Amino acid sequence: MKIALIAPAWHDPLWETEKEKSIFPPLNLVTLAALTPPQHEVTILDESLTDLDFNEKYDLVGISAMTALAPRAYEIADGFREKGTRVVLGGMHPSALPEEAAGHADAVVVGEAEGSWQRLLADLENGQLRTFYRQEERPVLEHMVAPRRDLLQRDRYLIPDTVQTTRGCPFACSFCTVSQFFGHEFRFRPVEEVVREVQNLEGEVVAFIDDNIVGNPGYARRLFTELARLPKKIKWFSQGSLNIARDEELLQLAAASGCIGLFIGFESLSPANLQAIGKKVNLIADYQQAIKKLHDHGIAIEGAFVFGLDEDDDGVFERTVKFAQENRLEAAQFGILTPFPGTPLRATLEREGRITNSDWGEYTISKVVFEPKNMSAKTLQEGFNWAWQEFYSLGSISRRLGLTKRHAAILWALNLNIRKRFNHFVEKLRADNLIMPQPSLARQ
């Protein structure tokens, strides 16, 4: 069979990338390609880099989508089905709402694809395609297939080498889809298999796309030890929790193995908010010292913060940005609380009648889709806009980064790229008559 695997493009101006270059390749799709029996021909279509041709003849089109990309995924699916092509949908959103997805597809893969994908292809060949494919047990991560990176246009990605070492997360934050999709328990790939994959990569910069690479300190310790022993030294970054700073040995091993940055979910500066969302691992009293420890080891931090939690008032924006600037975070991602389908947060807000918008295309964490508790939706949107504008102002970038930080050139490029994307976001707001306010909290 001739199979196309498609990654829909972002159409939100804050997250979309230029057509010439994207940031990360779709690791899920090249892994799916590797799970495909060799008699089939597979093409990877990343819509952020290429236009789709609905007249192209395929025996099967597979599309993976998060919630914000679901409307575009459905458009693509409907377009190919109109031409008589069979379509399968999978990923976070179709797994959360399989009945909805089934209205746009011939089949839906619910949850992780290993096992289900192979059964689906065999059923299709035999003319017995079912509507839903589910795993009874979560896949083990031993002997995972090597992703078909040969199918990618490598030179069109800023970070072409991505690797996954674990799945699952025990923290189960109320707003997060990760534990709903991958489960509440960590599963690990054997360290030697991860190291072998890293050794075979072309580049020297690796993104480990784990949701928390230090979630199990024992596993992380073994992994970092072996990465540090590689003859080809790498630089890597990933997502992790702040409690890495409480383990000096683990922190030293991370730095020695090539860690140059971590994406860390601070979420909030309010203990009550952290308690309410289930992020008990975060201790606000430790934030400042933990940040200093990571910086002392040459590890940059991109902090993630959520606005709109129930304890947030209209002063949360200034407090958060001030904290991020004073602690010289190399980057920050500010997000508006978003009740994704399948999460405990959505169930709570539905029960309270506070969801105001179920247009999945607006679920980009940059739009308000619910009624906040201690501020208006307008205040939340304006405060979010201001936080990005202030944190990525040229003065803020200069004060946070200077010229002496390790990897200063890379960090300046990252910040200027984010600034450029945010300015595009502002232009779109103005075009839609949602002009960026200049709130009184924007102080020099």
Side-chain angles (χ1 to χ4, degrees), residues 104-375:
H104 302 272
D106 299 281
V108 178
V109 173
V110 179
E112 296 163 78
E114 287 92 345
S116 293
W117 178 246
Q118 295 93 321
R119 289 196 302 274
L120 182 151
L121 293 178
D123 287 350
L124 180 57
E125 284 188 290
N126 295 326
Q128 298 176 339
L129 188 66
R130 290 178 284 153
T131 304
F132 299 108
Y133 288 83
R134 294 179 171 89
Q135 290 278 30
E136 292 184 6
E137 297 182 359
R138 297 192 183 278
V140 297
L141 303 188
E142 288 83 2
H143 309 301
M144 286 180 63
V145 294
R148 288 285 309 277
R149 295 187 177 91
D150 59 296
L151 298 177
L152 296 171
Q153 300 177 67
R154 179 182 176 83
D155 60 347
R156 299 188 68 186
Y157 294 98
L158 292 174
I159 310 294
D161 292 320
T162 55
V163 176
Q164 186 177 45
T165 74
T166 64
R167 294 182 189 174
C169 181
F171 295 145
C173 298
S174 64
F175 58 79
C176 185
T177 59
V178 170
S179 54
Q180 309 303 317
F181 188 85
F182 287 119
H184 295 273
E185 295 183 0
F186 278 121
R187 284 168 288 147
F188 313 101
R189 291 181 63 191
V191 167
E192 61 273 15
E193 294 183 16
V194 175
V195 172
R196 189 181 310 122
E197 182 175 346
V198 171
Q199 280 181 310
N200 291 329
L201 296 173
E202 290 185 40
E204 296 180 353
V205 178
V206 179
F208 290 110
I209 63 164
D210 299 56
D211 295 293
N212 187 357
I213 197 167
V214 295
N216 183 291
Y219 177 82
R221 202 171 283 114
R222 295 193 301 275
L223 175 63
F224 299 163
T225 298
E226 294 305 316
L227 290 175
R229 291 173 178 165
L230 283 173
K232 180 184 79 170
K233 299 305 178 185
I234 64 167
K235 297 175 182 177
W236 64 265
F237 57 93
S238 186
Q239 296 186 69
S241 51
L242 203 60
N243 57 357
I244 185 178
R246 300 174 200 155
D247 188 330
E248 182 63 28
E249 180 192 10
L250 184 59
L251 190 54
Q252 290 177 359
L253 284 171
S257 67
C259 180
I260 61 172
L262 287 173
F263 180 93
I264 294 177
F266 293 89
E267 319 306 0
S268 175
L269 304 180
S270 160
N273 276 336
L274 294 174
Q275 181 76 19
I277 64 176
K279 196 70 177 274
K280 299 175 184 178
V281 68
N282 278 16
L283 300 175
I284 293 171
D286 295 345
Y287 277 5
Q288 193 165 359
Q289 184 180 7
I291 292 168
K292 184 179 184 306
K293 280 189 175 183
L294 269 76
H295 282 166
D296 287 346
H297 285 79
I299 298 174
I301 300 170
E302 180 174 3
F305 301 91
V306 179
F307 294 140
L309 296 163
D310 279 355
E311 296 298 319
D312 287 347
D313 56 25
D314 59 8
V316 68
F317 313 106
E318 185 175 18
R319 291 193 299 271
T320 304
V321 171
K322 182 179 179 182
F323 167 85
Q325 289 174 328
E326 288 181 345
N327 285 281
R328 298 186 69 190
L329 296 189
E330 285 78 4
Q333 177 182 288
F334 305 104
I336 293 172
L337 185 67
T338 303
F340 292 108
T343 61
L345 172 67
R346 187 169 186 85
T348 297
L349 294 183
E350 282 181 335
R351 189 167 58 249
E352 296 174 354
R354 293 169 60 190
I355 293 178
T356 58
N357 187 343
S358 289
D359 176 356
W360 304 131
E362 300 287 289
Y363 278 54
T364 59
I365 72 168
S366 61
K367 307 285 180 58
V368 183
V369 296
F370 76 106
E371 190 61 45
K373 188 174 183 180
N374 287 320
M375 67 181 86

Side-chain angles (χ1 to χ4, degrees), residues 2-6 41 43 45 53-61 80 84-86:
K2 186 177 178 181
I3 301 170
L5 301 176
I6 299 176
E41 177 189 344
T43 300
L45 298 174
D53 181 0
F54 291 94
N55 292 314
E56 185 72 28
K57 299 298 182 184
Y58 298 106
D59 298 292
L60 180 67
V61 164
F80 276 106
T85 303
R86 296 287 186 93

